[in-house]
Amino acid sequence: MVTDTTPGAAAPRPSFREAIFNRRTLICIFTGFASGLPLYILIQLVPGWLRTEGVGLAEIGFFTLVGMPYTWKFLWSPIMDRYTLPFLGRRRGWMLTTQVALIASIATMGLFDPKLSIWTVAYLAAAVAFFSASQDIVLDAYRRELLPDHELGLGNSIHVQAYRLSGLVPGALALILADHLPWHTVFYIVAGFMLVGVAMPLSIDEPNRDPGAPKTIREAIVEPFREFVAREGFAPALLVLAFLFFYKLGDNMATALQTPFFIDVGFTLTQIGSIAKSASLTAAIVGGLVGGLIMVKVSINRALWLFGVVQIASILGFALLSEIGANPWMLALAVAFEYLGVGLGTAALTAFIARSTNKAFAATQFALFTALAATPRTLANAVTGVIVENIGWTNFFLLCTALAVPGMLLLFKVAPWSERRND
């Protein structure tokens, strides 16, 4: 069972005004946008680009394997916990380095024709995933050090909603532009939005280094795992790790081929970019406000239950859209419900992960936990194209709904509804 052992866990909850209107909230918006943009390039823009260029669904599905760095990022996170680059400080130096690398790799990807250079595109996509996962390591650690315990729910909810809103750039603006501009120009424009991320480490302060932070690379590798197991106990720790894997398995699979799904249903790129993403914008804003405010007053445990139910139900909207066909109103409703449900579920899960980490080992523990949560998106999603080609879109979404249930059942052990917590 996860318990909060960090100082100040019993601090009184702030008012809504105190929780929302502070500089930490603004920083969470920037961390969310910078973190989400590269991922949505990989899961929305690249699949749509490949599909319009004539690449098959099976190949697009296997293309998600380039996201393996999100799963294995805990392997190099100790380096970012232990070492400080010779500029800007321990956290901000790594932020700037990964963000500049992301701009270069994103811009370069659009220079190639996927029909002629599919492996080159795959290598560049893998580079985007590596630098994006590395950026996530340091942004998650910075946010954990920035937020007091009573702001973990709201701060991470705002981060997640900004994360999802960043998807409007590659998933809406870029698709609309692709109907009028060559693809390499589209990728240049999208890469330019990462300048928002570059501005962040240049304008924020470096957090104070925790006195318990690792002083050697051995400590950075061993202590985060030892501390987590010692704190939880071996069997409860395994249950927590299993929960992190299963909680978002269903909705990760359901959204893996979202853009190709819309194309196959019969929507144009402009319809996808305008209707679908406008609906997602509205839902994400509502979900961010509602979810964040709920977690100011409601425990993270209960948020996991409430938001998880909405998250499962939202998958069924895509099954219904598959049966109805290219109806713009149904597209808007299905996407809005999906962004509301998945956004709420992600906000609660991210807050749970933050609560489960020790600040002294924030980068490595956060990387391990988020890597487990991202594993289904990388491994299971790799075969989604094959599954769809064999059972069809409707049955695929029903399967995704069923796969979302085990994560909810694990809540009985890792985050009981009735347990009272100071989170």
Side-chain angles (χ1 to χ4, degrees), residues 131 224 389 420:
F131 294 126
E389 289 184 344
R420 299 181 64 85

Side-chain angles (χ1 to χ4, degrees), residues 329-384:
W329 286 103
M330 188 59 210
L331 174 64
L333 289 173
V335 171
F337 193 24
E338 182 269 336
Y339 263 71
L340 177 65
V342 177
L344 290 173
T346 302
L349 181 64
T350 306
F352 175 85
I353 290 173
R355 188 185 68 188
S356 303
T357 61
N358 183 309
K359 287 185 178 181
F361 312 108
T364 299
Q365 288 186 344
F366 221 121
L368 172 63
F369 299 152
T370 54
L372 275 172
T375 298
R377 187 177 66 228
T378 302
L379 298 181
N381 291 5
V383 298
T384 52

Side-chain angles (χ1 to χ4, degrees), residues 312-330:
I312 290 178
S314 68
I315 301 173
L316 295 173
F318 288 123
L320 186 58
L321 177 62
S322 176
E323 291 296 303
I324 292 176
N327 183 302
W329 286 103
M330 188 59 210

Side-chain angles (χ1 to χ4, degrees), residues 19 53 61 70-71 85 92 101 122 135 156 168 174 187 190 192 213 218 231 291 369 373 375 377-378 382-383 397 401:
E53 294 296 308
Y70 291 105
T71 303
L85 295 178
R92 296 185 302 149
Q135 178 192 227
N156 282 286
L168 292 173
F187 275 92
V190 173
R218 182 183 181 280
R231 171 165 38 103
F369 299 152
T375 298
R377 187 177 66 228
T378 302
V383 298
F397 291 122
T401 303

